[in-house]
Amino acid sequence: MDHLKFHTDKLRASGLRPTKQRLAISKILFNRKETFHFTIDQLKKIAEKNIKKKISVATLYNTVHAFEKKGYLKEISLKGNKTFFDTNTRSHHHFYDEETSQLTDIKNENISISNLPKAPNGKKIRDIEVTIKVASNNQKQKNLV
Amino acid sequence: MDHLKFHTDKLRASGLRPTKQRLAISKILFNRKETFHFTIDQLKKIAEKNIKKKISVATLYNTVHAFEKKGYLKEISLKGNKTFFDTNTRSHHHFYDEETSQLTDIKNENISISNLPKAPNGKKIRDIEVTIKVASNNQKQKNLV
DNA sequence: TTACCTGCAAAGAGTTTGCAGGTAG
DNA sequence: CTACCTGCAAACTCTTTGCAGGTAA
């Protein structure tokens, strides 16, 4: 049954009725072991292929945003005008290949940040995001200091 | 004379003729000691106030992009659909207050990153960007592990 | 004079919203 | 039956592009 209840529950917990379209989206996002990074556009293509029907962007946006609000997805900070989402909602970091727009997770244990400065005036640290930009070897490296 | 030659040279080095509009932009960006973070929209408002005339977005975009290409500005990775630029082109990091969209620089010396993982398959690290999201104390903190 | 620049406006890309018909409960 | 959902399309925001008149060299 493809763990139907798992997806139904996730949708209900996010305040959404389990419909065909949303179940398809939920399966794509959460039926996997590894992290999934995606844009709305990519998700649309995969979902439409899976159910062999059009899914409107309205449905994609409302579903993805409901999952995000519930904490099942998080948005990634990247330059450019497309919004990237990540099924890994824990604090963790990324390699980002600007040539291919490819994102790769870096486990939190694999980076140590020390010497953290204090947050400004009455503010509190909520999240830390490290993005390591990579490119082919022939590209020049920026001055890292 | 407001260091006119300094700005004329920066514009010429970027392949641009020094016009009134572009000199105004250059002064806003580079007549300062501290880092300046901005969006096109913010820059437009400041520049128009300074010269008391409209500046078209076409001019703002072509000037800012020429400066960026030349390495006088860099784009910051942030979520949301607006592009943020930074007059600090050295590798450095930011506090980001999502409530106010306020960015604050963190000097590279004030953060230590150790234990860096290797870049994937034949790629080389070009830049490291750390974004520390802050919010008011009453907001809940994300699971940082 | 020539090549470049300006402002305007139209075109694009991504996202959000409004709505009439359809479906879950 | 009611409330919610769907696809479509219009509206919006930000950015890019095309163009006719204007300006730097």
Side-chain angles (χ1 to χ4, degrees):
Chain A
M1 213 50 187
D2 220 40
H3 308 92
L4 184 57
K5 184 170 187 312
F6 174 79
H7 298 291
T8 319
D9 288 351
K10 264 195 142 66
L11 286 164
R12 291 218 184 282
S14 309
L16 301 174
R17 285 184 181 170
T19 63
K20 264 196 193 69
Q21 292 85 339
R22 288 175 175 167
L23 285 168
I25 293 170
S26 180
K27 287 176 190 173
I28 293 165
L29 299 180
F30 305 120
N31 267 356
R32 54 178 82 227
K33 285 264 172 25
E34 335 71 44
T35 291
F36 182 44
H37 305 110
F38 64 96
T39 61
I40 291 291
D41 196 59
Q42 292 165 351
L43 181 58
K44 183 171 195 286
K45 289 198 178 95
I46 301 172
E48 291 182 341
K49 205 177 60 177
N50 284 8
I51 65 170
K52 295 170 185 61
K53 290 207 317 177
K54 290 242 165 242
I55 299 187
S56 83
V57 292
T59 302
L60 287 154
Y61 279 106
N62 73 29
T63 306
V64 165
H65 284 151
F67 282 149
E68 184 191 12
K69 192 168 175 190
K70 180 66 185 179
Y72 294 151
L73 293 175
K74 83 176 199 183
E75 191 181 335
I76 301 173
S77 296
L78 284 183
K79 61 193 207 179
N81 304 333
K82 273 190 190 140
T83 306
F84 281 78
F85 294 93
D86 192 334
T87 55
N88 182 351
T89 58
R90 304 166 77 86
S91 186
H92 70 287
H93 312 301
H94 297 102
F95 282 118
Y96 180 51
D97 185 335
E98 288 186 275
E99 295 163 327
T100 62
S101 294
Q102 188 71 41
L103 278 166
T104 317
D105 271 16
I106 301 171
K107 287 209 197 93
N108 223 330
E109 310 90 84
N110 288 345
I111 283 194
S112 315
I113 302 175
S114 44
N115 214 352
L116 257 190
K118 282 233 296 268
N121 45 300
K123 299 283 180 170
K124 193 174 167 186
I125 293 178
R126 290 194 63 208
D127 197 14
I128 301 174
E129 219 174 327
V130 178
T131 307
I132 303 184
K133 291 179 201 151
V134 300
S136 313
N137 280 320
N138 53 343
Q139 302 258 343
K140 45 187 166 198
Q141 179 177 28
K142 287 215 180 144
N143 181 3
L144 294 183
V145 180
Chain B
M1 213 51 183
D2 219 40
H3 305 91
L4 184 57
K5 183 167 190 312
F6 173 79
H7 299 291
T8 317
D9 289 351
K10 265 196 140 66
L11 286 164
R12 291 221 184 280
S14 309
L16 301 174
R17 286 183 181 171
T19 63
K20 266 196 192 72
Q21 292 86 340
R22 289 174 174 167
L23 284 168
I25 293 170
S26 180
K27 287 176 189 173
I28 293 165
L29 299 180
F30 305 120
N31 266 356
R32 54 178 80 229
K33 286 264 173 23
E34 334 72 43
T35 291
F36 182 45
H37 305 109
F38 64 95
T39 61
I40 291 291
D41 195 59
Q42 292 163 354
L43 181 59
K44 183 171 196 283
K45 291 199 176 94
I46 300 172
E48 292 183 341
K49 205 178 60 178
N50 285 9
I51 64 171
K52 293 170 185 61
K53 290 206 319 175
K54 291 245 165 238
I55 298 186
S56 82
V57 293
T59 302
L60 287 154
Y61 279 105
N62 73 29
T63 306
V64 165
H65 285 152
F67 282 149
E68 184 191 10
K69 192 168 174 187
K70 180 66 185 177
Y72 294 151
L73 293 176
K74 82 176 201 183
E75 190 181 335
I76 301 174
S77 296
L78 284 184
K79 61 191 209 181
N81 304 333
K82 272 186 189 141
T83 305
F84 281 78
F85 294 93
D86 192 335
T87 55
N88 183 350
T89 58
R90 303 166 79 84
S91 186
H92 69 287
H93 311 300
H94 297 103
F95 283 117
Y96 181 50
D97 185 335
E98 287 187 273
E99 295 163 327
T100 62
S101 294
Q102 188 71 40
L103 278 166
T104 316
D105 271 17
I106 301 171
K107 286 207 198 95
N108 222 332
E109 311 88 86
N110 289 345
I111 282 195
S112 314
I113 303 175
S114 45
N115 213 351
L116 259 191
K118 282 233 296 270
N121 43 301
K123 299 284 179 169
K124 192 173 167 186
I125 293 178
R126 289 195 64 209
D127 196 14
I128 301 174
E129 218 174 328
V130 178
T131 308
I132 303 184
K133 291 179 200 150
V134 301
S136 312
N137 280 318
N138 54 342
Q139 302 255 344
K140 46 190 161 184
Q141 181 178 27
K142 288 215 180 144
N143 181 4
L144 294 184
V145 181

